Amino acid sequence: MQIILVRHGETALNAARVLQPPDTPLSALGLQQAGAVARRLAGDGVAGIVSSDLARARQTAEAIAGRCQNLKVVLSPAFRERDFGDWRGLPYDSLPADALHTEAAPPGGESAADFAARCRQAWAALLSLQAHLGGALVVVSHGLTIGQWLAGLPLAPGAGQRGERLGNTAVTQVDATAPHTVRLFNCTRHLAAGLQEGAGSLSGG
């Protein structure tokens, strides 16, 4: 059995390198990307879909659900991106620290340690949920969150090159049983050339 991790589609603020408020929707390109990954996953035996409740993830998950027997999307704040507090809405390159890597909590936000602890709890919940399904579980989330879940997991030969950057609507497949080997990492083969994100787009935030 597999857990299929999907990063949300692109937003205008991804492309502009701005940390995103919770209600940031997908851009027109992001909606097209969501449709493309939905078509890709339609034949993969998906039995359940869960998603971050942030708008950009929810829209991506709903596109996938529409192609997968109209499954109900289960939303949870546990699968959200790291909370950058008062830095949300600000250009990433103007911040006083590297938001994607700082250990300290931004003003009104979440420290790296608190974020990691939340991600560990969320991963345990995902494993428990998948154990009760008869097929693959799709999880739509965010770049940093998925990165936390994958940290330390073994990578199968041919799975792809491990890195911290995940593309918009990138698909990553993980075994649902220990040691949770990553069978496919950061795959965007479903995106035609015109649907690829810009090289400077933020992956996280």
Side-chain angles (χ1 to χ4, degrees):
M1 293 297 180
Q2 294 284 309
I3 294 176
I4 302 174
L5 304 174
V6 179
R7 185 182 171 221
H8 62 80
E10 188 174 78
T11 71
L13 295 186
N14 277 154
R17 297 180 60 79
V18 173
L19 294 186
Q20 301 176 87
D23 58 352
T24 303
L26 296 180
S27 63
L29 175 61
L31 289 169
Q32 291 180 290
Q33 292 172 335
V37 75
R39 291 189 292 274
R40 172 179 178 170
L41 297 178
D44 281 5
V46 175
I49 303 174
V50 298
S51 174
S52 157
D53 62 346
L54 299 184
R56 55 198 186 270
R58 186 186 70 245
Q59 288 180 285
T60 306
E62 288 170 349
I64 296 169
R67 288 276 182 167
C68 296
Q69 306 170 2
N70 283 311
L71 291 170
K72 179 182 178 182
V73 178
V74 178
L75 301 174
S76 173
F79 310 139
R80 287 182 175 186
E81 182 61 284
R82 182 176 173 182
D83 183 353
F84 289 104
D86 296 346
W87 288 355
R88 291 179 294 191
L90 300 178
Y92 170 72
D93 297 309
S94 74
L95 296 171
D98 181 350
L100 303 188
H101 300 96
T102 184
E103 295 291 324
E110 194 172 27
S111 71
D114 287 345
F115 174 57
R118 172 165 65 82
C119 289
R120 286 193 296 271
Q121 292 176 341
W123 180 249
L126 290 175
L127 294 178
S128 178
L129 177 59
Q130 202 287 326
H132 293 89
L133 291 178
L137 174 65
V138 170
V139 184
V140 182
S141 190
H142 306 268
L144 297 182
T145 308
I146 294 172
Q148 283 286 328
W149 291 336
L150 297 176
L153 297 184
L155 194 67
Q161 185 174 358
R162 189 189 293 275
E164 66 174 27
R165 179 179 176 81
L166 289 170
N168 286 116
T169 68
V171 172
T172 297
Q173 295 178 346
V174 182
D175 289 344
T177 55
H180 308 299
T181 300
V182 179
R183 299 293 173 182
L184 184 69
F185 176 77
N186 191 32
C187 180
T188 56
R189 62 175 172 78
H190 53 280
L191 297 180
L195 297 184
Q196 296 285 348
E197 66 193 47
S201 181
L202 277 183
S203 179

